[in-house]
Amino acid sequence: MQRRLRNTLLAAVAAAASIYAHTADAQSLTPEQLRALVDKRVTALNPYQELLNDPDPARSLAAMQIMLESDDAELTRLALEFGLLSPNPSVKRAAFESFLKTRPIFSIRLDGRAVKDNDFTGVIRDRWNGNVTPEKIAYWRIGVGDYSPDKRCYVNANAGNECFVTVNADGIFLTASYLNARGIIGDDGAIAGSATLGAVDEPVPFAIKLLE
């Protein structure tokens, strides 16, 4: 929530600066005027923050899910950040599963700095058409498809009905061509874990950012 308030403050400052720059006869922006602009922007978000922080866990969860399912981009971001940064694993999972329904594109970061197997770079570039830095940090983008009730997973957006993301009590599992990985959502709201790559002998740490 602190990140959201910081972003709100920056947005208010930027708006104030824009008003000042584009008004021909504008005078210097006083501290009081700036404070009023900031208070107005923060106050507009407070009712939603209060709903998310309701002391009743059921009401808080319902507020988060309704906001995530709304067509309002600002409410969706606010609720997603609240859920993914929650210390409650059930809230984290609910937020993540709601996020999956939006069919996001994952940008997977694989840390190959400790990997000695030379096939690592080949898998990333040749099999996945990904990018590898000189330091052996790899990036690969892959889309999440619809949920399959029969397979109880979210399918690969580019591979028909093949499972890609499975969420259960043991964590988050990713399955794709030359990839088998397991991770959890950490305190920073990102997925992190270990991946097994086809033709690569050693496990590779991976991470997926879910928040901007």
Side-chain angles (χ1 to χ4, degrees), residues 4-5 8-9 12 34-51 74-75 78:
R4 177 58 57 195
L5 291 176
T8 300
L9 175 59
L34 176 59
R35 186 176 297 110
L37 288 171
V38 172
D39 289 344
K40 182 178 180 181
R41 183 67 62 88
V42 173
T43 300
L45 291 176
N46 277 341
Y48 301 105
Q49 294 169 346
E50 290 175 3
L51 289 170
E74 182 65 22
L75 293 186
L78 189 66

Side-chain angles (χ1 to χ4, degrees), residues 144 156 199 203:
V144 178
N156 185 331

Side-chain angles (χ1 to χ4, degrees), residues 120-134:
F120 173 77
T121 299
V123 169
I124 303 299
R125 291 179 177 171
D126 300 336
R127 298 289 180 177
W128 295 343
N129 194 31
N131 298 307
V132 184
T133 70

